[in-house]
Amino acid sequence: MSSRAVCREASHAGSWYTASGAQLNAQLENWLAQAQPTGRPARAIIAPRRVFILGPSHHAPLSRCALSTADIYRTPLYDLRIDQKIYGELWKTGMFERMTIQIDEDEHSIEMHLPYTAKTMESQKDELTIVPVLVGALSDSKEQMYGELFSKYLADPLNLFVISSDFCHWGQRFRYTHYDESQGEIYRSIQHLDKMGMDIIEQLDAVSFNNYLKKYHNTICGRHPIGVLLNAVAELRKSGMNMAFSFLNYAQSSQCKNWEDSSVSYAAGTLMVH
């Protein structure tokens, strides 16, 4: 076995975001400075050492979850090491596929979270590892199965989970034009639709979330990673762990007002353990 590390390049740097480390660092510092604190000052914190990043597969047809064949994920800031110990544990379950470097670098859902992860964890970069997981088009039963598997990792305060997802992709180019006229303008209908789903996620109700998706077919690209998280929470609640989810922000790329328009919605939220 070769001792040479396999690296996944930051394939979307220079197009989706800047490839300049200095410029990216300045942008992230500016954006993070504008973020509003979500709670009171802490007396003590437990800082995570390992970040799980669950992203949906946009291109590769997957019916399960997949692990990277890389050892290192490059970013314009610094390299992030994959936690091979955890990867070994996951691989031994027989529940995972391996994604090629080509599939890995074609996919953007995990990569788009790497600069933020690297920046916010830079004070611990020597100890930090990541666990990237590409999530396929899972059935309800598989979401439950993976949720049960990941629940023990979610329970560990040294782990942090990042779930990659946009919300509604609306417009003819997305082949989705659900419109509830009672809400007024199209963009308000989109917001109403998204907020219905967000309210269910805040209730941490995996079954109701799947029912919502089956009824409205909202084009939430990370619906399966979200489903895995909700099922992991459900598993931990059985043992009495108390958790709460709340959304912090919501935005649309543009305000759709006619059938020729299109937009993508974005929502950010946090899961807290009490």
Side-chain angles (χ1 to χ4, degrees), residues 168 170 178-196 218 250 252 254-258 261 263 265:
C168 184
W170 194 94
H178 170 87
Y179 178 36
D180 180 354
E181 294 184 4
S182 69
Q183 298 301 317
E185 298 272 20
I186 294 173
Y187 71 90
R188 294 192 181 278
S189 171
I190 296 170
Q191 178 174 323
H192 178 72
L193 176 68
D194 282 335
K195 289 298 178 72
M196 277 196 288
N218 194 1
Y250 173 82
Q252 296 174 359
S254 61
Q255 292 188 342
C256 293
K257 298 183 178 180
N258 59 62
D261 292 340
S263 72
S265 304

Side-chain angles (χ1 to χ4, degrees), residues 236-242:
L236 292 177
R237 279 180 153 181
K238 293 177 184 177
S239 59
M241 187 171 287
N242 185 20

